[in-house]
Amino acid sequence: MTPHYSIDYCPRCGAGLLGIRICGLGTDEPHGLVVCDECESIWLEPDVTTPHQYPDASDARCPKCTDPLWGPQSRWATREDLVQLGWQDRVDPELNGEPDDHIA
């Protein structure tokens, strides 16, 4: 599935979109991740000049909470999630999965 909101193209693989995911849904500590939708490189903040990491290919887990990266407590971020994370200004509107969906 393609991310709803992306910040850039992946500098690691050059092919994927860097989508924003929210993890920790249903907990007191939801947190954001930037994840390439192709190679699954992960950044813990919306700044790809910081170190990245790769999840275990056989058991991809969130590097913050260790829950499954693609489990029910995680999803591609919605507009409301971006505002909650404070990352709404990091989105590139040209890369949005929903082109008419602008973040207020």
Side-chain angles (χ1 to χ4, degrees):
M1 181 175 187
T2 304
H4 303 298
Y5 299 100
S6 299
I7 65 168
D8 206 342
Y9 288 98
C10 181
R12 302 283 91 197
C13 72
L17 287 172
L18 294 178
I20 298 175
R21 287 189 70 79
I22 188 163
C23 191
L25 297 170
T27 71
D28 292 338
E29 297 185 31
H31 46 277
L33 303 168
V34 175
V35 180
C36 175
D37 70 343
E38 289 292 324
C39 71
E40 295 187 355
S41 296
I42 299 173
W43 286 262
L44 300 180
E45 56 188 286
D47 177 359
V48 296
T49 64
T50 61
H52 73 285
Q53 50 195 289
Y54 293 105
D56 181 334
S58 64
D59 186 24
R61 300 232 165 227
C62 172
K64 282 193 167 191
C65 68
T66 69
D67 282 337
L69 185 60
W70 307 106
Q73 80 299 331
S74 178
R75 67 173 178 237
W76 291 117
T78 64
R79 179 182 355 188
E80 293 79 18
D81 296 333
L82 294 174
V83 172
Q84 179 182 6
L85 294 169
W87 292 7
Q88 66 272 20
D89 294 336
R90 301 307 302 257
V91 172
D92 183 339
E94 299 291 320
L95 302 176
N96 287 355
E98 304 292 329
D100 295 328
D101 191 14
H102 297 286
I103 302 168

